Amino acid sequence: MARIYLPSQGTEDWRRLLADPVKHWREGYSAMCLAQCWESAGGLPSEIARLLISIGPSPELLVALPEHKVPLPGSRLGDSQNDLFALIRAGDQTVAVTIEGKVDEPFDQPLGIWLANASDGKRNRLAFICDLLGLTQPLPDNIRYQLLHRTASAVIEARRFKTDLAAMIVHSFSPTRRWFEDYAAFVALFGATAGPDQLVRVHLEGTPRLYVGWASGKILDGSQTVI
């Protein structure tokens, strides 16, 4: 895991961090939309700030790390490469936040497919995530694996940085809120009800307290991109 980070000079710095800087960098797709939005905001995008006001007043971005990798058990499966990791101050609370950008792309594979002929490494990783999030197996086959490991990443980093809270936020740029039903099914695992543009506290014993949210953003014109 990288320990030294350099300040961003614009969206091209986000691009070079992608697993595939050619395939994953296209107009109207999540990687570019997320980079344009956060660079243009000069701090927290307004839709993210509105979610976090429920935690504390005047949310402030302390640091944001694009394509932040969080190690999980099962090294052959690779790290959880989060679209963005941020430390945010809201009132007297500090929050470790993982951001998952979305437009039309799905949340990767549902568990029913991801677990087909699963290796011991996959099963051990899922067991670790469920234990971390207080979930009981077996989980429904339609639950998207990506939402599980992105949320686990938020808890892991909150404990590492000793923040007060952890949060996983889907930053959606889809005008039709595509894939919201998959997010809602994930939130229901915790006995909670999801809503668009809402931050929901989910049950997690011990610290940190865990939240999940869905923020609706807008795709920016190229003229608004910070280069």
Side-chain angles (χ1 to χ4, degrees):
M1 182 190 299
R3 302 293 183 186
I4 299 173
Y5 297 90
L6 301 176
S8 167
Q9 298 299 311
T11 57
E12 285 299 314
D13 285 334
W14 296 54
R15 179 180 184 176
R16 65 181 176 82
L17 297 172
L18 295 169
D20 188 332
V22 176
K23 180 181 178 182
H24 296 160
W25 191 256
R26 299 167 61 185
E27 287 190 13
Y29 282 69
S30 60
M32 184 180 289
C33 289
L34 194 70
Q36 290 173 346
C37 178
W38 281 74
E39 286 282 352
S40 297
L44 282 179
S46 58
E47 57 269 24
I48 301 295
R50 282 194 294 269
L51 284 188
L52 295 172
I53 284 176
S54 62
I55 290 173
S58 304
E60 174 192 4
L61 178 64
L62 302 178
V63 64
L65 308 176
E67 301 300 325
H68 181 66
K69 296 180 180 181
V70 178
L72 293 170
S75 58
R76 292 186 179 181
L77 301 175
D79 298 334
S80 177
Q81 185 162 334
N82 298 270
D83 293 342
L84 186 68
F85 171 71
L87 292 175
I88 298 170
R89 188 78 174 171
D92 61 355
Q93 305 284 302
T94 303
V95 195
V97 184
T98 51
I99 302 288
E100 179 63 26
K102 279 288 173 278
V103 185
D104 288 330
E105 310 95 319
F107 291 106
D108 205 0
Q109 294 179 334
L111 284 178
I113 294 176
W114 189 77
L115 284 173
N117 300 314
S119 63
D120 288 342
K122 278 191 173 184
R123 295 191 181 280
N124 290 338
R125 174 171 289 196
L126 183 59
F128 169 83
I129 291 173
C130 287
D131 183 63
L132 186 69
L133 300 181
L135 298 173
T136 301
Q137 295 196 71
L139 301 181
D141 285 347
N142 66 318
I143 297 300
R144 298 282 179 162
Y145 168 66
Q146 189 177 70
L147 289 168
L148 288 164
H149 69 86
R150 295 291 191 254
T151 306
S153 293
V155 175
I156 291 168
E157 295 300 77
R159 290 178 176 175
R160 189 162 73 98
F161 286 98
K162 295 187 177 180
T163 64
D164 302 291
L165 314 171
M168 187 284 295
I169 297 175
V170 177
H171 197 172
S172 171
F173 300 92
S174 169
T176 61
R177 298 193 181 109
R178 195 170 185 192
W179 310 112
F180 179 80
E181 65 278 6
D182 287 330
Y183 165 75
F186 169 71
V187 176
L189 290 176
F190 299 92
T193 301
D197 301 301
Q198 292 181 12
L199 193 66
V200 181
R201 181 176 175 179
V202 295
H203 177 70
L204 184 66
E205 293 183 358
T207 56
R209 299 196 305 276
L210 175 62
Y211 293 78
V212 294
W214 178 285
S216 302
K218 294 181 179 180
I219 296 177
L220 301 183
D221 295 331
S223 60
Q224 294 174 281
T225 307
V226 180
I227 301 298

